[in-house]
Amino acid sequence: AGRAIGAEGGIGGTYGVMPELFLKCDELIKAGKKNTLARLVPHQGFAPENVKRLKDYIEDLSELILITEDEGVIAILGGMIERKSRGEQLRDSGIPHMFIFGRHDHYIPQDVADEMIAADPNAEIIWLEHSGHMGFLEEPELCADAIKKLVIG
């Protein structure tokens, strides 16, 4: 039997404040304000306590925005907005799976995480107390341990 890891958005679908954020990002790009996007958005994926420590990652994300052609950024955002959820398929699959949430996630706030958890009572839930949306960078050891436990059984 297989194993699956991820938030519902990781297997398709947008969640939380993501659709609105993607649309705002799209508007900035189309208005010729990619520099503003690159300066304001990447750090929002991290818990405030980790922004300084992970500034190199955040700068790399900003640089990726700047070096990607506008049409490419718009296509990525559009694809994320339009993708369909596969949450029901995962819930019905019988495959052991987990959601890893960050307590300081600006993209999947607590109420949305609670809805996802309620909709999928068989999922294992991991909360990273010192992470935002980028827990795999913010608390890599805890993420790795949780994934190993799921995969190994």
Side-chain angles (χ1 to χ4, degrees):
R3 307 260 190 264
I5 303 164
E8 202 163 328
I11 57 171
T14 53
Y15 43 87
V17 298
M18 297 299 272
E20 293 82 12
L21 175 65
F22 293 157
L23 290 171
K24 287 177 185 174
C25 292
D26 186 70
E27 289 172 12
L28 285 172
I29 296 294
K30 289 177 179 173
K33 298 181 179 180
K34 186 162 56 173
N35 286 341
T36 301
L37 178 71
R39 190 177 71 251
L40 297 178
V41 172
H43 73 277
Q44 293 180 23
F46 297 84
E49 68 188 78
N50 297 323
V51 169
K52 185 175 181 181
R53 177 174 60 88
L54 297 171
K55 69 178 178 60
D56 290 342
Y57 285 109
I58 294 167
E59 288 172 4
D60 288 347
L61 291 170
S62 294
E63 182 65 21
L64 283 172
I65 292 170
L66 293 172
I67 65 172
T68 302
E69 292 186 24
D70 292 0
E71 295 79 17
V73 176
I74 290 168
I76 290 167
L77 294 168
M80 287 192 269
I81 290 168
E82 294 174 12
R83 67 184 172 180
K84 303 294 183 226
S85 173
R86 303 271 190 281
E88 184 176 343
Q89 182 179 8
L90 179 61
R91 285 188 294 275
D92 293 345
S93 72
I95 296 171
H97 56 284
M98 76 169 53
F99 296 143
I100 301 175
F101 296 108
R103 288 280 182 204
H104 306 279
D105 194 329
H106 298 289
Y107 303 139
I108 305 176
Q110 179 79 44
D111 60 328
V112 174
D114 290 343
E115 289 173 17
M116 292 172 67
I117 292 166
D120 195 344
N122 293 321
E124 183 174 345
I125 308 302
I126 305 295
W127 281 101
L128 300 175
E129 298 298 326
H130 303 283
S131 291
H133 196 69
M134 306 294 277
F136 62 97
L137 296 174
E138 296 172 276
E139 296 182 79
E141 296 84 12
L142 292 176
C143 282
D145 289 346
I147 293 167
K148 285 180 204 172
K149 182 180 173 194
L150 177 74
V151 171
I152 295 169

